[in-house]
PDB file of all heavy atoms in Angstrom:
ATOM      1  N   PHE B 210      84.137 134.930 106.919  1.00  0.00           N
ATOM      2  CA  PHE B 210      83.122 134.034 107.421  1.00  0.00           C
ATOM      3  C   PHE B 210      83.670 132.613 107.490  1.00  0.00           C
ATOM      4  O   PHE B 210      83.379 131.841 108.389  1.00  0.00           O
ATOM      5  CB  PHE B 210      81.871 134.076 106.527  1.00  0.00           C
ATOM      6  CG  PHE B 210      81.089 135.341 106.589  1.00  0.00           C
ATOM      7  CD1 PHE B 210      81.408 136.415 105.743  1.00  0.00           C
ATOM      8  CD2 PHE B 210      80.064 135.527 107.507  1.00  0.00           C
ATOM      9  CE1 PHE B 210      80.686 137.630 105.771  1.00  0.00           C
ATOM     10  CE2 PHE B 210      79.343 136.693 107.554  1.00  0.00           C
ATOM     11  CZ  PHE B 210      79.676 137.752 106.694  1.00  0.00           C
ATOM     12  N   VAL B 211      84.475 132.261 106.497  1.00  0.00           N
ATOM     13  CA  VAL B 211      85.070 130.921 106.476  1.00  0.00           C
ATOM     14  C   VAL B 211      85.987 130.720 107.648  1.00  0.00           C
ATOM     15  O   VAL B 211      85.987 129.676 108.318  1.00  0.00           O
ATOM     16  CB  VAL B 211      85.811 130.676 105.137  1.00  0.00           C
ATOM     17  CG1 VAL B 211      86.466 129.311 105.118  1.00  0.00           C
ATOM     18  CG2 VAL B 211      84.845 130.838 103.964  1.00  0.00           C
ATOM     19  N   ASP B 212      86.800 131.749 107.958  1.00  0.00           N
ATOM     20  CA  ASP B 212      87.744 131.671 109.103  1.00  0.00           C
ATOM     21  C   ASP B 212      86.977 131.424 110.404  1.00  0.00           C
ATOM     22  O   ASP B 212      87.370 130.603 111.235  1.00  0.00           O
ATOM     23  CB  ASP B 212      88.522 133.000 109.237  1.00  0.00           C
ATOM     24  CG  ASP B 212      89.323 133.318 107.985  1.00  0.00           C
ATOM     25  OD1 ASP B 212      89.638 132.374 107.217  1.00  0.00           O
ATOM     26  OD2 ASP B 212      89.675 134.505 107.815  1.00  0.00           O
ATOM     27  N   ALA B 213      85.840 132.124 110.563  1.00  0.00           N
ATOM     28  CA  ALA B 213      85.088 131.979 111.811  1.00  0.00           C
ATOM     29  C   ALA B 213      84.394 130.611 111.864  1.00  0.00           C
ATOM     30  O   ALA B 213      84.328 129.974 112.917  1.00  0.00           O
ATOM     31  CB  ALA B 213      84.035 133.077 111.948  1.00  0.00           C
ATOM     32  N   ALA B 214      83.891 130.142 110.713  1.00  0.00           N
ATOM     33  CA  ALA B 214      83.200 128.843 110.697  1.00  0.00           C
ATOM     34  C   ALA B 214      84.176 127.727 111.088  1.00  0.00           C
ATOM     35  O   ALA B 214      83.763 126.750 111.735  1.00  0.00           O
ATOM     36  CB  ALA B 214      82.620 128.576 109.288  1.00  0.00           C
ATOM     37  N   ALA B 215      85.440 127.916 110.759  1.00  0.00           N
ATOM     38  CA  ALA B 215      86.436 126.901 111.091  1.00  0.00           C
ATOM     39  C   ALA B 215      86.631 126.716 112.590  1.00  0.00           C
ATOM     40  O   ALA B 215      87.143 125.697 113.054  1.00  0.00           O
ATOM     41  CB  ALA B 215      87.772 127.248 110.422  1.00  0.00           C
ATOM     42  N   THR B 216      86.215 127.716 113.400  1.00  0.00           N
ATOM     43  CA  THR B 216      86.361 127.576 114.864  1.00  0.00           C
ATOM     44  C   THR B 216      85.202 126.750 115.431  1.00  0.00           C
ATOM     45  O   THR B 216      85.252 126.355 116.589  1.00  0.00           O
ATOM     46  CB  THR B 216      86.295 128.976 115.572  1.00  0.00           C
ATOM     47  OG1 THR B 216      84.984 129.511 115.405  1.00  0.00           O
ATOM     48  CG2 THR B 216      87.334 129.905 115.028  1.00  0.00           C
ATOM     49  N   GLY B 217      84.148 126.517 114.623  1.00  0.00           N
ATOM     50  CA  GLY B 217      82.978 125.758 115.097  1.00  0.00           C
ATOM     51  C   GLY B 217      81.823 126.653 115.451  1.00  0.00           C
ATOM     52  O   GLY B 217      80.757 126.179 115.766  1.00  0.00           O
ATOM     53  N   ALA B 218      82.007 127.967 115.379  1.00  0.00           N
ATOM     54  CA  ALA B 218      80.877 128.858 115.641  1.00  0.00           C
ATOM     55  C   ALA B 218      79.859 128.625 114.545  1.00  0.00           C
ATOM     56  O   ALA B 218      80.167 128.610 113.388  1.00  0.00           O
ATOM     57  CB  ALA B 218      81.383 130.323 115.629  1.00  0.00           C
ATOM     58  N   SER B 219      78.570 128.429 114.950  1.00  0.00           N
ATOM     59  CA  SER B 219      77.557 128.064 113.978  1.00  0.00           C
ATOM     60  C   SER B 219      76.783 129.261 113.467  1.00  0.00           C
ATOM     61  O   SER B 219      76.103 129.182 112.439  1.00  0.00           O
ATOM     62  CB  SER B 219      76.617 126.998 114.538  1.00  0.00           C
ATOM     63  OG  SER B 219      75.879 127.563 115.630  1.00  0.00           O
ATOM     64  N   GLY B 220      76.849 130.369 114.193  1.00  0.00           N
ATOM     65  CA  GLY B 220      76.180 131.596 113.758  1.00  0.00           C
ATOM     66  C   GLY B 220      77.215 132.649 113.405  1.00  0.00           C
ATOM     67  O   GLY B 220      78.137 132.880 114.206  1.00  0.00           O
ATOM     68  N   LEU B 221      77.124 133.242 112.223  1.00  0.00           N
ATOM     69  CA  LEU B 221      78.113 134.238 111.832  1.00  0.00           C
ATOM     70  C   LEU B 221      77.328 135.538 111.505  1.00  0.00           C
ATOM     71  O   LEU B 221      76.564 135.592 110.597  1.00  0.00           O
ATOM     72  CB  LEU B 221      78.870 133.779 110.603  1.00  0.00           C
ATOM     73  CG  LEU B 221      79.544 132.397 110.741  1.00  0.00           C
ATOM     74  CD1 LEU B 221      80.246 131.993 109.439  1.00  0.00           C
ATOM     75  CD2 LEU B 221      80.508 132.361 111.915  1.00  0.00           C
ATOM     76  N   LEU B 222      77.557 136.521 112.394  1.00  0.00           N
ATOM     77  CA  LEU B 222      76.821 137.753 112.297  1.00  0.00           C
ATOM     78  C   LEU B 222      77.652 138.859 111.640  1.00  0.00           C
ATOM     79  O   LEU B 222      78.884 138.926 111.875  1.00  0.00           O
ATOM     80  CB  LEU B 222      76.404 138.182 113.717  1.00  0.00           C
ATOM     81  CG  LEU B 222      75.579 139.451 113.922  1.00  0.00           C
ATOM     82  CD1 LEU B 222      74.560 139.230 115.052  1.00  0.00           C
ATOM     83  CD2 LEU B 222      76.440 140.653 114.222  1.00  0.00           C
ATOM     84  N   ALA B 223      77.000 139.699 110.854  1.00  0.00           N
ATOM     85  CA  ALA B 223      77.667 140.831 110.256  1.00  0.00           C
ATOM     86  C   ALA B 223      76.629 141.915 110.020  1.00  0.00           C
ATOM     87  O   ALA B 223      75.439 141.645 109.904  1.00  0.00           O
ATOM     88  CB  ALA B 223      78.374 140.464 108.955  1.00  0.00           C
ATOM     89  N   ALA B 224      77.073 143.146 109.916  1.00  0.00           N
ATOM     90  CA  ALA B 224      76.147 144.242 109.730  1.00  0.00           C
ATOM     91  C   ALA B 224      76.494 145.066 108.512  1.00  0.00           C
ATOM     92  O   ALA B 224      75.891 144.906 107.437  1.00  0.00           O
ATOM     93  CB  ALA B 224      76.117 145.135 111.008  1.00  0.00           C
ATOM     94  N   SER B 225      77.495 145.953 108.641  1.00  0.00           N
ATOM     95  CA  SER B 225      77.738 146.929 107.587  1.00  0.00           C
ATOM     96  C   SER B 225      78.075 146.319 106.230  1.00  0.00           C
ATOM     97  O   SER B 225      77.648 146.833 105.192  1.00  0.00           O
ATOM     98  CB  SER B 225      78.811 147.959 107.983  1.00  0.00           C
ATOM     99  OG  SER B 225      80.012 147.240 108.301  1.00  0.00           O
ATOM    100  N   VAL B 226      78.807 145.240 106.190  1.00  0.00           N
ATOM    101  CA  VAL B 226      79.149 144.650 104.875  1.00  0.00           C
ATOM    102  C   VAL B 226      77.907 144.214 104.128  1.00  0.00           C
ATOM    103  O   VAL B 226      77.879 144.222 102.871  1.00  0.00           O
ATOM    104  CB  VAL B 226      80.144 143.454 104.957  1.00  0.00           C
ATOM    105  CG1 VAL B 226      81.522 143.904 105.375  1.00  0.00           C
ATOM    106  CG2 VAL B 226      79.610 142.333 105.865  1.00  0.00           C
ATOM    107  N   PHE B 227      76.832 143.817 104.873  1.00  0.00           N
ATOM    108  CA  PHE B 227      75.597 143.450 104.231  1.00  0.00           C
ATOM    109  C   PHE B 227      74.771 144.685 103.913  1.00  0.00           C
ATOM    110  O   PHE B 227      74.245 144.836 102.831  1.00  0.00           O
ATOM    111  CB  PHE B 227      74.789 142.517 105.130  1.00  0.00           C
ATOM    112  CG  PHE B 227      75.357 141.146 105.280  1.00  0.00           C
ATOM    113  CD1 PHE B 227      75.293 140.459 106.512  1.00  0.00           C
ATOM    114  CD2 PHE B 227      75.992 140.510 104.193  1.00  0.00           C
ATOM    115  CE1 PHE B 227      75.807 139.186 106.637  1.00  0.00           C
ATOM    116  CE2 PHE B 227      76.509 139.203 104.322  1.00  0.00           C
ATOM    117  CZ  PHE B 227      76.427 138.538 105.576  1.00  0.00           C
ATOM    118  N   HIS B 228      74.682 145.627 104.892  1.00  0.00           N
ATOM    119  CA  HIS B 228      73.847 146.829 104.667  1.00  0.00           C
ATOM    120  C   HIS B 228      74.316 147.637 103.452  1.00  0.00           C
ATOM    121  O   HIS B 228      73.515 148.103 102.681  1.00  0.00           O
ATOM    122  CB  HIS B 228      73.932 147.781 105.882  1.00  0.00           C
ATOM    123  CG  HIS B 228      73.492 147.156 107.157  1.00  0.00           C
ATOM    124  ND1 HIS B 228      72.616 146.077 107.249  1.00  0.00           N
ATOM    125  CD2 HIS B 228      73.769 147.469 108.449  1.00  0.00           C
ATOM    126  CE1 HIS B 228      72.433 145.765 108.526  1.00  0.00           C
ATOM    127  NE2 HIS B 228      73.110 146.601 109.274  1.00  0.00           N
ATOM    128  N   TYR B 229      75.653 147.768 103.303  1.00  0.00           N
ATOM    129  CA  TYR B 229      76.189 148.578 102.197  1.00  0.00           C
ATOM    130  C   TYR B 229      76.474 147.693 100.986  1.00  0.00           C
ATOM    131  O   TYR B 229      77.132 148.173 100.022  1.00  0.00           O
ATOM    132  CB  TYR B 229      77.437 149.319 102.668  1.00  0.00           C
ATOM    133  CG  TYR B 229      77.143 150.276 103.795  1.00  0.00           C
ATOM    134  CD1 TYR B 229      77.753 150.136 105.037  1.00  0.00           C
ATOM    135  CD2 TYR B 229      76.197 151.302 103.644  1.00  0.00           C
ATOM    136  CE1 TYR B 229      77.444 150.981 106.108  1.00  0.00           C
ATOM    137  CE2 TYR B 229      75.876 152.154 104.681  1.00  0.00           C
ATOM    138  CZ  TYR B 229      76.513 152.005 105.919  1.00  0.00           C
ATOM    139  OH  TYR B 229      76.190 152.855 106.963  1.00  0.00           O
ATOM    140  N   GLN B 230      76.022 146.442 101.039  1.00  0.00           N
ATOM    141  CA  GLN B 230      76.160 145.497  99.939  1.00  0.00           C
ATOM    142  C   GLN B 230      77.592 145.351  99.423  1.00  0.00           C
ATOM    143  O   GLN B 230      77.854 145.223  98.220  1.00  0.00           O
ATOM    144  CB  GLN B 230      75.224 145.905  98.762  1.00  0.00           C
ATOM    145  CG  GLN B 230      73.753 145.914  99.297  1.00  0.00           C
ATOM    146  CD  GLN B 230      72.736 146.155  98.217  1.00  0.00           C
ATOM    147  OE1 GLN B 230      72.857 145.691  97.091  1.00  0.00           O
ATOM    148  NE2 GLN B 230      71.663 146.872  98.565  1.00  0.00           N
ATOM    149  N   GLU B 231      78.540 145.352 100.378  1.00  0.00           N
ATOM    150  CA  GLU B 231      79.916 145.130 100.025  1.00  0.00           C
ATOM    151  C   GLU B 231      80.185 143.628  99.872  1.00  0.00           C
ATOM    152  O   GLU B 231      81.050 143.222  99.112  1.00  0.00           O
ATOM    153  CB  GLU B 231      80.828 145.699 101.150  1.00  0.00           C
ATOM    154  CG  GLU B 231      80.777 147.216 101.224  1.00  0.00           C
ATOM    155  CD  GLU B 231      81.258 147.719 102.591  1.00  0.00           C
ATOM    156  OE1 GLU B 231      81.843 146.981 103.347  1.00  0.00           O
ATOM    157  OE2 GLU B 231      80.997 148.932 102.856  1.00  0.00           O
ATOM    158  N   VAL B 232      79.407 142.835 100.598  1.00  0.00           N
ATOM    159  CA  VAL B 232      79.485 141.386 100.525  1.00  0.00           C
ATOM    160  C   VAL B 232      78.022 140.868 100.428  1.00  0.00           C
ATOM    161  O   VAL B 232      77.167 141.371 101.137  1.00  0.00           O
ATOM    162  CB  VAL B 232      80.144 140.784 101.786  1.00  0.00           C
ATOM    163  CG1 VAL B 232      80.134 139.268 101.745  1.00  0.00           C
ATOM    164  CG2 VAL B 232      81.565 141.283 101.926  1.00  0.00           C
ATOM    165  N   GLY B 233      77.802 139.927  99.527  1.00  0.00           N
ATOM    166  CA  GLY B 233      76.449 139.375  99.404  1.00  0.00           C
ATOM    167  C   GLY B 233      76.265 138.118 100.210  1.00  0.00           C
ATOM    168  O   GLY B 233      77.221 137.359 100.434  1.00  0.00           O
ATOM    169  N   ILE B 234      75.033 137.842 100.639  1.00  0.00           N
ATOM    170  CA  ILE B 234      74.785 136.621 101.424  1.00  0.00           C
ATOM    171  C   ILE B 234      75.023 135.380 100.540  1.00  0.00           C
ATOM    172  O   ILE B 234      75.635 134.375 100.987  1.00  0.00           O
ATOM    173  CB  ILE B 234      73.363 136.651 101.997  1.00  0.00           C
ATOM    174  CG1 ILE B 234      73.340 137.697 103.160  1.00  0.00           C
ATOM    175  CG2 ILE B 234      72.932 135.277 102.547  1.00  0.00           C
ATOM    176  CD1 ILE B 234      71.997 137.960 103.730  1.00  0.00           C
ATOM    177  N   ALA B 235      74.623 135.476  99.275  1.00  0.00           N
ATOM    178  CA  ALA B 235      74.818 134.361  98.361  1.00  0.00           C
ATOM    179  C   ALA B 235      76.329 134.051  98.191  1.00  0.00           C
ATOM    180  O   ALA B 235      76.738 132.884  98.238  1.00  0.00           O
ATOM    181  CB  ALA B 235      74.220 134.655  97.028  1.00  0.00           C
ATOM    182  N   GLU B 236      77.132 135.124  98.069  1.00  0.00           N
ATOM    183  CA  GLU B 236      78.559 134.980  97.932  1.00  0.00           C
ATOM    184  C   GLU B 236      79.178 134.299  99.164  1.00  0.00           C
ATOM    185  O   GLU B 236      80.019 133.398  99.046  1.00  0.00           O
ATOM    186  CB  GLU B 236      79.139 136.397  97.748  1.00  0.00           C
ATOM    187  CG  GLU B 236      80.628 136.496  97.558  1.00  0.00           C
ATOM    188  CD  GLU B 236      81.124 137.967  97.657  1.00  0.00           C
ATOM    189  OE1 GLU B 236      80.288 138.867  97.779  1.00  0.00           O
ATOM    190  OE2 GLU B 236      82.359 138.154  97.655  1.00  0.00           O
ATOM    191  N   VAL B 237      78.737 134.728 100.330  1.00  0.00           N
ATOM    192  CA  VAL B 237      79.271 134.152 101.573  1.00  0.00           C
ATOM    193  C   VAL B 237      78.948 132.666 101.638  1.00  0.00           C
ATOM    194  O   VAL B 237      79.792 131.824 101.982  1.00  0.00           O
ATOM    195  CB  VAL B 237      78.661 134.885 102.808  1.00  0.00           C
ATOM    196  CG1 VAL B 237      79.028 134.138 104.108  1.00  0.00           C
ATOM    197  CG2 VAL B 237      79.139 136.325 102.867  1.00  0.00           C
ATOM    198  N   LYS B 238      77.700 132.330 101.274  1.00  0.00           N
ATOM    199  CA  LYS B 238      77.290 130.936 101.362  1.00  0.00           C
ATOM    200  C   LYS B 238      78.055 130.071 100.336  1.00  0.00           C
ATOM    201  O   LYS B 238      78.381 128.913 100.631  1.00  0.00           O
ATOM    202  CB  LYS B 238      75.804 130.829 101.191  1.00  0.00           C
ATOM    203  CG  LYS B 238      75.052 131.371 102.424  1.00  0.00           C
ATOM    204  CD  LYS B 238      73.595 131.002 102.418  1.00  0.00           C
ATOM    205  CE  LYS B 238      72.968 131.362 103.770  1.00  0.00           C
ATOM    206  NZ  LYS B 238      71.577 130.926 103.811  1.00  0.00           N
TER     207      LYS B 238
END
Side-chain angles (χ1 to χ4, degrees):
Chain B
F210 291 90
V211 178
D212 300 339
T216 68
S219 65
L221 306 178
L222 181 144
S225 58
V226 290
F227 290 143
H228 302 335
Y229 299 118
Q230 301 186 38
E231 293 159 14
V232 176
I234 289 173
E236 179 191 356
V237 171
K238 289 192 170 184

